[in-house]
């Protein structure tokens, strides 16, 4: 369903029913709400939670921003490298307000904020700027964005700069599989058939590469978040795979060190994806942590 959130039309999935503590799941760069596997959502529902997912602005079935153009990613990357401010169509704080608007539209006063990758960055901003709405924060395979942190492995960075041979569905899926092969969890590999099924479903639901470009610039423009993290006073859990080739584990450790009292857990064999085994591991950490936060016993 669509809701009006922060003045935008945002696509939302709401599972588990009212009367339960709420977990708000925020997905990463260019990813739709369906990137949170249904089985993972069900594990959290079975643990006693109401689970809300949404498409971030400019992606999936939520409102787009094509009228603002895509910007020049190459030039803005150069600006970032020499210490100049990246210019973006909107900010991660705007996206945090979108997420809070989703809670408003559903009549939810407070939620456990769980974000993956870019979604973790948005979740960090929510916890820092809206502590009264944040029951707890869980930041998964994300980063503080501080300068000097390691970036993607060389082969991953090179793959990110390549373009698919064409824009037909088969070429787009094949191109995406090559990237996912580089960043997947080595302990829990998925077959090409599994990846193709998921990618095809996602692309047929919505395909909006221009939105991904604008979101990428929003990440680059979010240069004060390292200092903002020190303001977070809510119970915080940072989860990060020790085999993450896209956002190295040092980025997760840095986030945890910047957030007062945060708990850091390294997940062995996890990369930058959510295969079923990793989802089960994450759910087994998130559910008791959120329950403890509600009981006032979380760190």
């Amino acid at each position: 369903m669509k809701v009006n959130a922060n003045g935008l039309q945002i696509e939302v999935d709401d599972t588990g029913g009212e009367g339960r503590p709420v977990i708000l799941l925020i997905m990463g760069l260019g990813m739709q709400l369906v990137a949170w596997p249904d089985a993972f959502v069900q594990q959290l529902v079975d643990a006693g939670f109401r689970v809300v997912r949404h498409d971030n602005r400019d992606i999936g079935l939520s409102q787009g921003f094509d009228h603002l153009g895509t910007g020049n990613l190459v030039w803005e990357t150069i600006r970032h490298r020499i210490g100049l401010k990246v210019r973006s169509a909107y900010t991660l704080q705007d996206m945090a307000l979108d997420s809070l608007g989703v809670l408003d539209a559903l009549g939810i006063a407070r939620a456990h904020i769980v974000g993956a990758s870019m979604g973790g960055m948005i979740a960090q901003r929510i916890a820092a700027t809206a502590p009264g709405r944040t029951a707890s924060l869980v930041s998964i395979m994300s980063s503080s964005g501080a300068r000097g942190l390691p970036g993607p492995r060389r082969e991953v960075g090179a793959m990110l700069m390549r373009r698919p041979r064409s824009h037909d569905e088969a070429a787009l899926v094949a191109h995406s599989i090559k990237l996912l092969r580089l960043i997947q969890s080595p302990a829990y590999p998925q077959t090409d058939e599994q990846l193709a099924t998921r990618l095809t479903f996602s692309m047929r639901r919505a395909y909006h590469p221009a939105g991904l470009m604008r979101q990428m610039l929003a990440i680059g423009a979010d240069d004060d978040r390292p200092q903002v993290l020190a303001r977070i006073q809510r119970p915080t859990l940072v989860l990060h795979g020790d085999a993450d080739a896209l956002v190295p584990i040092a980025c997760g450790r840095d986030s945890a060190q910047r957030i007062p009292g945060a708990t850091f857990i390294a997940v062995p064999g996890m990369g930058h994806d959510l295969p079923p085994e990793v989802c089960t591991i994450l759910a087994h950490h998130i559910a008791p942590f959120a329950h403890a936060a509600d009981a006032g016993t979380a760190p």
Side-chain angles (χ1 to χ4, degrees), residues 18-42:
E18 298 182 5
R20 295 166 167 235
V22 177
I23 289 179
L24 177 67
L25 298 177
I26 308 175
M27 193 26 82
L29 174 67
M31 304 299 288
Q32 304 176 51
L33 66 84
V34 292
W36 294 108
D38 289 341
F40 175 65
V41 173
Q42 190 59 50

Side-chain angles (χ1 to χ4, degrees), residues 27-285:
M27 193 26 82
L29 174 67
M31 304 299 288
Q32 304 176 51
L33 66 84
V34 292
W36 294 108
D38 289 341
F40 175 65
V41 173
Q42 190 59 50
Q43 285 176 306
L44 296 176
V45 170
D46 291 343
F49 296 96
R50 175 183 178 184
V51 180
V52 176
R53 300 177 283 178
H54 65 286
D55 286 336
N56 288 313
R57 64 164 65 191
D58 229 0
I59 286 297
L61 304 180
S62 288
Q63 187 169 326
F65 285 75
D66 287 344
H67 62 287
L68 297 180
T70 57
N72 188 321
L73 182 60
V74 173
W75 175 238
E76 296 302 330
T77 300
I78 293 171
R79 288 175 59 89
H80 182 265
R81 287 178 177 171
I82 64 176
L84 297 177
K85 180 73 175 178
V86 171
R87 296 165 297 193
S88 60
Y90 44 77
T91 67
L92 292 190
Q93 184 62 30
D94 292 330
M95 299 177 79
L97 294 175
D98 295 346
S99 295
L100 290 170
V102 168
L103 297 181
D104 290 338
L106 298 177
I108 297 169
R110 197 162 174 261
H112 300 280
I113 313 297
V114 178
S117 199
M118 181 190 74
M121 303 172 194
I122 296 169
Q124 292 165 9
R125 285 214 160 262
I126 293 173
T129 59
R133 309 295 300 277
T134 306
S136 70
L137 165 65
V138 181
S139 180
I140 304 169
M141 53 187 172
S142 193
S143 175
S144 70
R147 291 184 180 274
L149 288 172
R153 290 180 189 165
R154 180 175 299 179
E155 64 271 24
V156 175
M159 188 65 200
L160 288 170
M161 298 304 294
R162 293 177 192 160
R163 294 293 174 261
R165 297 191 314 274
S166 71
H167 291 288
D168 65 79
E169 184 179 275
L172 291 171
V173 169
H175 179 81
S176 296
I177 287 176
K178 290 179 182 178
L179 174 60
L180 293 179
R181 279 269 166 256
L182 293 175
I183 65 174
Q184 70 176 345
S185 298
Y188 311 105
Q190 299 183 77
T191 66
D192 284 356
E193 290 75 18
Q194 289 173 313
L195 295 175
T197 297
R198 179 162 59 84
L199 288 164
T200 301
F201 172 75
S202 179
M203 288 180 182
R204 291 178 180 177
R205 181 177 184 266
Y207 177 63
H208 196 206
L212 181 149
M213 299 293 284
R214 285 185 288 270
Q215 289 185 354
M216 191 176 297
L217 289 176
I219 293 173
D222 200 45
D223 54 5
D224 67 335
R225 201 173 68 259
Q227 294 73 46
V228 169
L229 296 191
R231 305 206 311 255
I232 296 176
Q233 298 296 322
R234 305 306 301 148
T236 298
L237 175 63
V238 177
L239 298 165
H240 212 110
D242 68 0
D244 194 327
L246 181 62
V247 182
I249 192 170
C251 299
R253 294 188 189 277
D254 179 75
S255 297
Q257 289 169 359
R258 291 175 183 273
I259 299 172
T263 297
F264 177 81
I265 295 177
V267 181
M270 173 184 167
H272 204 83
D273 63 346
L274 294 173
E277 299 88 347
V278 166
C279 285
T280 297
I281 293 169
L282 297 180
H284 286 173
H285 286 301

